[in-house]
Amino acid sequence: MTDLIKNESVGSAQPQNAGGEKRRKRNKYGLTLANVIFIVAFCIVPVLHFCIFYLFANFRGFLMAFQKPIGYDGDFVWTLDQFRRVFDTLGQGDSELRIALKNTFITFGFSLIMFPCSIIISYFLYKQVWGYKTFKVIFYMPHIVSGLVTSYVFISMVSTRGFIAPLIQKWDHLSYLPSLLADSDYANSVVLFHMVWLGLPGNMILWCGTFARIPTSVLEYGKLDGVGWVRELVQLILPLIWPTFSLLLMMQFTSIFSASGAVFLLTQGKWDTQTLSNWFYMQVYNANGDANTSAYNYMSAFGMLITVPACAISLFVRFVLAKLVEDVEY
Amino acid sequence: MENNAIKKRSLIRRIMNGRSISETVVHAIVFMLFLALSISYLFILVWCFIAGLRTHTEVTLKPFDIDWSKLYFKNYIEVFSRLRVNQTDFFGMVANSLYFSICGQFLNIFTAVSFAYVTTKYRFPGSKAVYFVVFAMMIIPIYGTGGSIYKLMYDMGITNNYTFIITACSGAGMNYMYFHSFFRGLSNSYSEAAKIDGANDWQIYFQVVLPQTVALAGSLFLMAWISDWNGYGGYLIYLPRIPVLSVGIYLFNVNMKYEVSMHILFAACFISVIPPLALFVSFSNIILNNVSLGGIKE
């Protein structure tokens, strides 16, 4: 395959009947006016979208962190109050934000563990474990079935009238049936269990697609050398899928502060299950359509404080992953 | 006797499928684990369907003690009349869901394909920077901007409005990356041939390039459609007064204080699953086999 078409080919290839036509004017990039109109037509919408919904929205969010609304007509004063409020809240041992931070890190830890699990599951589907076609379809089900449905069914399963609460009662030798989603001792573990249960296949489609591109000859050579499945996965496949692996792992670290289970649907952040992602969501949800609430300024200030370490982590991970293994092409 | 032994051996060979004994053992363990996970996933659907056939009292008090003689299919008919949220009935919610999920995702994919095409195949100021900007947007996380985005959309008048769909035209994100990767690997020969035959940029794009993206774009559209049909987070905040089906079901559950309708809730849940399930079953091959970050498979 040839590399990118550049304007030398796109712009300069002349129609066969162009002999009698006037030679079109080209700019220094070799583009005619028609080319420019074509490019602008396809770029204008994404560029406007980027300027409005990314640049402007984020810049406004940055400014909002330093503002405090007065009244309901959109007036505000410049202040550092929101930051003070964030630090005061973080200083309190049992504050919702501290719980949210702790739970977010726990959830992130679980999602890191699930990351290789997803690869292993996809590997065995790729290696055609018995019934792999059916499993592939069923494992995609958590993506097909709405989170609402899975959560409502799960709530019934773990309710005191479900079949999981009696098992926990026996396991913990309790004299009562625990309300698993309304008890601080259990709620967060149950939310995590729900996340792990439905999230195990993870990016199965992407992994299976990536595995399918691996040249079979490489794996056959390995097989002739007596390579087992663990070595095949770690020493042969992993280096071959490294670009996808490193990109997805980096995306995982990028969303370190977004790690969350279905907290909103299962507990709405009550019973010590709050996560940062759900906390941010609840700030907007609870504002109930009020566009001038100070909650937005508060969340902007807190968001700004965690954006700094999040960016540092993300860039560091990218740097490390880029150094670790060289990209391969096949 | 000999026949039996041969049959046995061929059965064992078929089960092992050219694998060593240790590999067969590993595969057997993995098979059992996959089976357990699959059954647990299927259980969600089956239980949800059955819960929709029962009465409110039974679903609430004895959710897993099913009386098979008392199943009411009329519950599924009742959903159409009883699921009503913010003056929108069931069919209104379905129409809203279809509008936002189909039109929104079509705009989303089309913008991403077009943007990726011009930035990959044409050289102009900033064409190379686009990839890095999109990549940076993906890897640089910015938190806490939900409030400012809500304010922005409120000020623009697109909350609780069908024009909210314009937010889908980003052209960036993972879809851009998929198509960027696809166009980088796409041969120029067809485009060049069309150019020599006198085709202009528009004709080349719509008649030569776009048809080649159909498999990848189709897979991504189907996945995005399913995800959007099921999505509730953004819609609940930005469009509560023109609820999509998932938001309607959520609000129906939240408002269910003085009503006894858990069975209707589960029946509605099951009905909401049917379209994505049907679509997935019909197009599972396309969805499962066409996506990889290395572009379309060859």
Side-chain angles (χ1 to χ4, degrees), chain B residues 22-259:
Chain B
S22 62
E23 268 182 329
T24 309
V25 171
V26 171
H27 275 244
I29 294 167
V30 170
F31 171 78
M32 297 306 283
L33 292 173
F34 280 11
L35 190 67
L37 195 60
S38 300
I39 290 170
S40 74
Y41 287 171
L42 289 175
F43 172 81
I44 298 172
L45 272 187
V46 174
W47 188 83
C48 183
F49 172 68
I50 295 170
L53 294 172
R54 301 170 73 199
T55 61
H56 169 82
T57 319
E58 281 190 333
V59 173
T60 323
L61 299 180
K62 295 184 239 168
F64 297 94
D65 188 6
I66 299 164
D67 182 351
W68 296 98
S69 63
K70 288 181 185 169
L71 298 178
Y72 306 99
F73 285 91
K74 67 179 171 59
N75 293 351
Y76 279 87
I77 309 293
E78 266 183 59
V79 170
F80 303 130
S81 55
R82 288 185 62 180
L83 196 78
R84 193 177 185 83
V85 171
N86 292 344
Q87 283 88 49
T88 310
D89 63 7
F90 175 82
F91 297 104
M93 291 179 214
V94 171
N96 290 340
S97 282
L98 288 173
Y99 169 72
F100 286 109
S101 59
I102 293 178
C103 301
Q105 289 313 321
F106 174 78
L107 287 175
N108 184 1
I109 302 274
F110 181 75
T111 319
V113 179
S114 316
F115 196 39
Y117 173 69
V118 290
T119 54
T120 315
K121 297 293 188 187
Y122 290 82
R123 187 182 293 156
F124 58 90
S127 59
K128 279 188 179 168
V130 169
Y131 176 82
F132 294 102
V133 172
V134 172
F135 190 61
M137 282 167 72
M138 287 170 69
I139 66 161
I140 296 177
I142 298 178
Y143 292 96
T145 52
S148 71
I149 291 172
Y150 183 84
K151 264 173 92 89
L152 173 67
M153 295 203 185
Y154 183 85
D155 292 343
M156 289 172 74
I158 57 175
T159 53
N160 290 312
N161 196 305
Y162 287 99
T163 52
F164 178 78
I165 205 160
I166 61 168
T167 57
C169 307
S170 85
M174 212 57 192
N175 284 344
Y176 176 88
M177 302 304 265
Y178 281 124
F179 287 110
H180 182 273
S181 170
F182 173 82
F183 286 124
R184 269 183 51 173
L186 187 69
S187 166
N188 298 331
S189 47
Y190 288 116
S191 307
E192 280 164 0
K195 188 86 191 172
I196 289 165
D197 285 347
N200 60 30
D201 292 322
W202 300 93
Q203 287 166 326
I204 291 175
Y205 179 66
F206 283 105
Q207 291 173 13
V208 179
V209 175
L210 215 50
Q212 295 181 73
T213 67
V214 164
L216 179 62
S219 310
L220 293 177
F221 175 81
L222 288 174
M223 288 197 292
W225 180 82
I226 289 170
S227 155
D228 212 39
W229 173 271
N230 290 331
Y232 61 91
Y235 293 132
L236 185 57
I237 285 178
Y238 300 117
L239 304 168
R241 288 191 204 139
I242 42 173
V244 295
L245 187 58
S246 53
V247 168
I249 292 172
Y250 173 80
L251 292 176
F252 182 77
N253 184 37
V254 170
N255 299 334
M256 205 197 306
K257 281 176 187 161
Y258 308 106
E259 260 194 288

Side-chain angles (χ1 to χ4, degrees), chain A residues 89-95 98-99:
Chain A
T89 314
L90 285 173
Q92 295 160 15
D94 56 347
S95 72
R98 271 178 83 136
I99 292 167

Side-chain angles (χ1 to χ4, degrees), chain A residues 1 5 7 35 144 197 281 314, chain B residues 41 123 139 185 188 201 230:
Chain A
M1 280 188 186
I5 298 179
N7 304 329
N35 292 146
I144 301 167
W197 173 44
Y281 183 77
S314 171
Chain B
Y41 287 171
R123 187 182 293 156
I139 66 161
N188 298 331
D201 292 322
N230 290 331

